[in-house]
Amino acid sequence: MMGGGEHTVSAIRRNDGSIDYYYAKRVKNPMYQKMKKIPLIRGIIALIESAANGSKHLQFASDRYDVNPGEELSAAEKEKNASKLQLWLGVAAIGVLSFLFGKFVFTLIPIFLAQLLHNQFPSDTAQILLESAFKLVLLVSYIYLVSLTPIIKRVFQYHGSEHKVINCYENGEELTVRNVQKQSRLHYRCGSSFMLFTVFVGMVLYFFVPVDPLWLRVVDRILLIPVVLGISFEVLQATNACRNIPGLKFLGYPGLWLQLLTTKEPKDDQVEVAIASFKKLKEIEADPSIIETVHQDETKAMSH
């Protein structure tokens, strides 16, 4: 999936070797646009939008995974007849709730693990360090384990191909498979870096709130989730801004190291899909009427 200023585009490889696309126009809600200019708040808005958009693109890919072209038209017709508002709200809710559920799990479990060692490490500082260490181990272990499954490994290969294409474009090179494959699969703006930053930002914030009693510690952590997310987004933006400054680019290294798990080296055919997605995005950004033409063609195809 590639995202631009006005649109997002996903490209997938079909069973017959062809490449299929999903297009989505970014919703320009006036209230959201104002909130996206406010530091700390803008990170929360960006996450909600990302979760909602990502869910729609993943749904498109999963609906067509291992399905022959043409066989998905009946499903597409049912989707077309559904309420667009209900569909958008449903997808957005699933994406946001899934993210929040994961965040709650990775926030609360380390608290109780650290509390189990309270007798051995009773000080507030030791408890916060233990909690953060457990959170980091839990995050890295989870990512590593899911990366071993074939389907997630394939997703991570496409993730790597996205980064390679962006790096190739930003380096001013022609978007060919050979040029793209030479690029790094790591990128400063990746959301994987954001996940790691939440661990370190949370650890710093926890020094300013009570550790005991346990119930208050749990409440504090839950209430601080939006704050941690907001600050982590700003840290991500800052490390990206410093990536070309000698002596400061190392600030983004921890996030890049995590990307060694969340990205894999892609195959040439996967790079071709990523290149196609990026080129289609550039094409649509230059001429948005292409989307309307595609939608009209799809409507005609379903009517036959």
Side-chain angles (χ1 to χ4, degrees), residues 46-117:
L47 284 174
I48 294 175
E49 289 185 341
S50 178
N53 288 330
S55 297
K56 289 187 287 186
H57 286 266
L58 283 173
Q59 184 64 49
F60 166 79
S62 63
D63 286 345
R64 286 157 177 75
Y65 178 73
D66 207 26
V67 175
N68 294 322
E71 294 181 359
E72 75 282 347
L73 290 182
S74 59
E77 192 170 11
K78 291 179 181 179
E79 179 179 305
K80 177 176 177 293
N81 293 331
S83 167
K84 291 184 178 180
L85 178 60
Q86 290 179 342
L87 179 64
W88 188 90
L89 288 176
V91 172
I94 291 173
V96 173
L97 290 176
S98 297
F99 175 82
L100 289 177
F101 175 76
K103 186 59 183 171
F104 268 78
V105 169
F106 283 98
T107 297
L108 298 181
I109 290 180
I111 296 176
F112 296 107
L113 291 177
Q115 185 66 22
L116 291 176
L117 299 175

Side-chain angles (χ1 to χ4, degrees), residues 46-249:
L47 284 174
I48 294 175
E49 289 185 341
S50 178
N53 288 330
S55 297
K56 289 187 287 186
H57 286 266
L58 283 173
Q59 184 64 49
F60 166 79
S62 63
D63 286 345
R64 286 157 177 75
Y65 178 73
D66 207 26
V67 175
N68 294 322
E71 294 181 359
E72 75 282 347
L73 290 182
S74 59
E77 192 170 11
K78 291 179 181 179
E79 179 179 305
K80 177 176 177 293
N81 293 331
S83 167
K84 291 184 178 180
L85 178 60
Q86 290 179 342
L87 179 64
W88 188 90
L89 288 176
V91 172
I94 291 173
V96 173
L97 290 176
S98 297
F99 175 82
L100 289 177
F101 175 76
K103 186 59 183 171
F104 268 78
V105 169
F106 283 98
T107 297
L108 298 181
I109 290 180
I111 296 176
F112 296 107
L113 291 177
Q115 185 66 22
L116 291 176
L117 299 175
H118 191 274
N119 290 336
Q120 291 79 13
F121 303 94
S123 72
D124 290 357
T125 299
Q127 279 292 297
I128 292 171
L129 292 176
L130 268 178
E131 180 183 337
S132 301
F134 280 129
K135 186 181 298 184
L136 180 61
V137 171
L138 190 63
L139 174 64
V140 173
S141 299
Y142 172 76
I143 295 175
Y144 172 72
L145 290 175
V146 298
S147 71
L148 298 179
T149 63
I151 185 65
I152 298 300
K153 179 181 178 181
R154 185 171 177 82
V155 170
F156 285 178
Q157 285 177 310
Y158 274 112
H159 189 193
S161 68
E162 291 172 347
H163 286 183
K164 281 175 173 278
V165 168
I166 297 300
N167 284 328
C168 186
Y169 175 77
E170 292 181 344
N171 289 333
E173 297 187 38
E174 183 183 359
L175 292 180
T176 64
V177 172
R178 183 176 180 180
N179 287 343
V180 170
Q181 286 286 36
K182 292 188 299 183
Q183 308 297 321
S184 170
R185 72 177 198 263
L186 312 180
H187 198 282
Y188 272 81
R189 291 195 300 271
C190 178
S192 303
S193 301
F194 172 81
M195 290 190 296
L196 190 62
F197 290 146
T198 63
V199 176
F200 297 117
V201 169
M203 181 180 67
V204 174
L205 289 180
Y206 297 160
F207 281 108
F208 297 94
V209 295
V211 173
D212 293 313
L214 180 61
W215 70 266
L216 182 58
R217 183 176 179 179
V218 171
V219 171
D220 285 338
R221 300 303 188 260
I222 293 175
L223 294 178
L224 281 174
I225 287 178
V227 182
V228 171
L229 295 178
I231 295 178
S232 298
F233 181 83
E234 301 302 325
V235 173
L236 179 65
Q237 297 292 89
T239 57
N240 180 58
C242 297
R243 62 176 175 165
N244 295 319
I245 302 177
L248 292 179
K249 64 180 182 180

Side-chain angles (χ1 to χ4, degrees), residues 254-267:
L256 295 179
W257 294 336
L258 185 62
Q259 290 178 43
L260 293 173
L261 291 178
T262 61
T263 64
K264 301 293 183 184
E265 286 293 337
K267 300 176 181 179

